[in-house]
PDB file of all heavy atoms in Angstrom:
ATOM      1  N   CYS Q  22     171.106   2.171 -36.188  1.00 97.00           N
ATOM      2  CA  CYS Q  22     171.424   3.572 -35.956  1.00 97.00           C
ATOM      3  C   CYS Q  22     172.693   3.638 -35.123  1.00 97.00           C
ATOM      4  O   CYS Q  22     172.748   3.076 -34.027  1.00 97.00           O
ATOM      5  CB  CYS Q  22     170.280   4.267 -35.231  1.00 97.00           C
ATOM      6  SG  CYS Q  22     170.649   5.957 -34.713  1.00 97.00           S
ATOM      7  N   ALA Q  23     173.686   4.321 -35.667  1.00 96.00           N
ATOM      8  CA  ALA Q  23     174.955   4.472 -34.968  1.00 96.00           C
ATOM      9  C   ALA Q  23     175.168   5.931 -34.594  1.00 96.00           C
ATOM     10  O   ALA Q  23     175.032   6.820 -35.435  1.00 96.00           O
ATOM     11  CB  ALA Q  23     176.100   3.985 -35.849  1.00 96.00           C
ATOM     12  N   ALA Q  24     175.491   6.149 -33.338  1.00 94.00           N
ATOM     13  CA  ALA Q  24     175.755   7.495 -32.842  1.00 94.00           C
ATOM     14  C   ALA Q  24     177.254   7.739 -32.785  1.00 94.00           C
ATOM     15  O   ALA Q  24     178.021   6.860 -32.382  1.00 94.00           O
ATOM     16  CB  ALA Q  24     175.153   7.684 -31.459  1.00 94.00           C
ATOM     17  N   SER Q  25     177.656   8.942 -33.180  1.00 89.00           N
ATOM     18  CA  SER Q  25     179.062   9.311 -33.110  1.00 89.00           C
ATOM     19  C   SER Q  25     179.194  10.669 -32.431  1.00 89.00           C
ATOM     20  O   SER Q  25     178.203  11.359 -32.202  1.00 89.00           O
ATOM     21  CB  SER Q  25     179.685   9.346 -34.506  1.00 89.00           C
ATOM     22  OG  SER Q  25     179.030  10.296 -35.325  1.00 89.00           O
ATOM     23  N   ARG Q  26     180.414  11.041 -32.148  1.00 88.00           N
ATOM     24  CA  ARG Q  26     180.703  12.302 -31.449  1.00 88.00           C
ATOM     25  C   ARG Q  26     180.001  12.336 -30.095  1.00 88.00           C
ATOM     26  O   ARG Q  26     179.513  13.382 -29.671  1.00 88.00           O
ATOM     27  CB  ARG Q  26     180.302  13.503 -32.292  1.00 88.00           C
ATOM     28  CG  ARG Q  26     181.029  13.567 -33.628  1.00 88.00           C
ATOM     29  CD  ARG Q  26     180.705  14.844 -34.365  1.00 88.00           C
ATOM     30  NE  ARG Q  26     181.405  14.910 -35.642  1.00 88.00           N
ATOM     31  CZ  ARG Q  26     181.319  15.935 -36.482  1.00 88.00           C
ATOM     32  NH1 ARG Q  26     180.577  16.975 -36.160  1.00 88.00           N
ATOM     33  NH2 ARG Q  26     181.963  15.914 -37.627  1.00 88.00           N
ATOM     34  N   VAL Q  27     179.935  11.198 -29.443  1.00 86.00           N
ATOM     35  CA  VAL Q  27     179.281  11.100 -28.144  1.00 86.00           C
ATOM     36  C   VAL Q  27     180.302  11.374 -27.046  1.00 86.00           C
ATOM     37  O   VAL Q  27     181.290  10.662 -26.930  1.00 86.00           O
ATOM     38  CB  VAL Q  27     178.647   9.709 -27.943  1.00 86.00           C
ATOM     39  CG1 VAL Q  27     178.001   9.616 -26.571  1.00 86.00           C
ATOM     40  CG2 VAL Q  27     177.641   9.418 -29.043  1.00 86.00           C
ATOM     41  N   ILE Q  28     180.054  12.412 -26.273  1.00 84.00           N
ATOM     42  CA  ILE Q  28     180.944  12.756 -25.171  1.00 84.00           C
ATOM     43  C   ILE Q  28     180.365  12.261 -23.852  1.00 84.00           C
ATOM     44  O   ILE Q  28     181.052  11.624 -23.052  1.00 84.00           O
ATOM     45  CB  ILE Q  28     181.186  14.274 -25.121  1.00 84.00           C
ATOM     46  CG1 ILE Q  28     181.885  14.730 -26.402  1.00 84.00           C
ATOM     47  CG2 ILE Q  28     182.006  14.634 -23.883  1.00 84.00           C
ATOM     48  CD1 ILE Q  28     182.078  16.231 -26.482  1.00 84.00           C
ATOM     49  N   PHE Q  29     179.081  12.541 -23.642  1.00 86.00           N
ATOM     50  CA  PHE Q  29     178.388  12.066 -22.452  1.00 86.00           C
ATOM     51  C   PHE Q  29     177.621  10.786 -22.801  1.00 86.00           C
ATOM     52  O   PHE Q  29     177.249  10.569 -23.943  1.00 86.00           O
ATOM     53  CB  PHE Q  29     177.416  13.131 -21.936  1.00 86.00           C
ATOM     54  CG  PHE Q  29     178.084  14.404 -21.514  1.00 86.00           C
ATOM     55  CD1 PHE Q  29     178.147  15.495 -22.363  1.00 86.00           C
ATOM     56  CD2 PHE Q  29     178.667  14.514 -20.255  1.00 86.00           C
ATOM     57  CE1 PHE Q  29     178.772  16.674 -21.977  1.00 86.00           C
ATOM     58  CE2 PHE Q  29     179.288  15.682 -19.858  1.00 86.00           C
ATOM     59  CZ  PHE Q  29     179.340  16.754 -20.725  1.00 86.00           C
ATOM     60  N   SER Q  30     177.360   9.967 -21.831  1.00 88.00           N
ATOM     61  CA  SER Q  30     176.637   8.718 -22.072  1.00 88.00           C
ATOM     62  C   SER Q  30     175.222   8.990 -22.567  1.00 88.00           C
ATOM     63  O   SER Q  30     174.547   9.886 -22.063  1.00 88.00           O
ATOM     64  CB  SER Q  30     176.581   7.879 -20.781  1.00 88.00           C
ATOM     65  OG  SER Q  30     177.869   7.474 -20.401  1.00 88.00           O
ATOM     66  N   ILE Q  31     174.804   8.195 -23.522  1.00 89.00           N
ATOM     67  CA  ILE Q  31     173.433   8.301 -24.025  1.00 89.00           C
ATOM     68  C   ILE Q  31     172.507   7.598 -23.053  1.00 89.00           C
ATOM     69  O   ILE Q  31     172.705   6.428 -22.733  1.00 89.00           O
ATOM     70  CB  ILE Q  31     173.308   7.694 -25.423  1.00 89.00           C
ATOM     71  CG1 ILE Q  31     174.142   8.508 -26.428  1.00 89.00           C
ATOM     72  CG2 ILE Q  31     171.847   7.650 -25.862  1.00 89.00           C
ATOM     73  CD1 ILE Q  31     174.163   7.928 -27.822  1.00 89.00           C
ATOM     74  N   ASN Q  32     171.504   8.309 -22.611  1.00 91.00           N
ATOM     75  CA  ASN Q  32     170.567   7.754 -21.641  1.00 91.00           C
ATOM     76  C   ASN Q  32     169.517   6.881 -22.316  1.00 91.00           C
ATOM     77  O   ASN Q  32     169.261   5.753 -21.898  1.00 91.00           O
ATOM     78  CB  ASN Q  32     169.909   8.899 -20.882  1.00 91.00           C
ATOM     79  CG  ASN Q  32     168.881   8.425 -19.875  1.00 91.00           C
ATOM     80  OD1 ASN Q  32     167.687   8.451 -20.139  1.00 91.00           O
ATOM     81  ND2 ASN Q  32     169.347   7.964 -18.725  1.00 91.00           N
ATOM     82  N   THR Q  33     168.921   7.418 -23.358  1.00 95.00           N
ATOM     83  CA  THR Q  33     167.835   6.726 -24.055  1.00 95.00           C
ATOM     84  C   THR Q  33     168.066   6.797 -25.560  1.00 95.00           C
ATOM     85  O   THR Q  33     168.460   7.840 -26.073  1.00 95.00           O
ATOM     86  CB  THR Q  33     166.475   7.377 -23.731  1.00 95.00           C
ATOM     87  OG1 THR Q  33     166.235   7.288 -22.325  1.00 95.00           O
ATOM     88  CG2 THR Q  33     165.341   6.712 -24.477  1.00 95.00           C
TER      89      THR Q  33
END
Side-chain angles (χ1 to χ4, degrees):
C22 173
S25 60
R26 300 186 180 181
V27 179
I28 297 176
F29 298 98
S30 295
I31 295 176
N32 178 260
T33 299

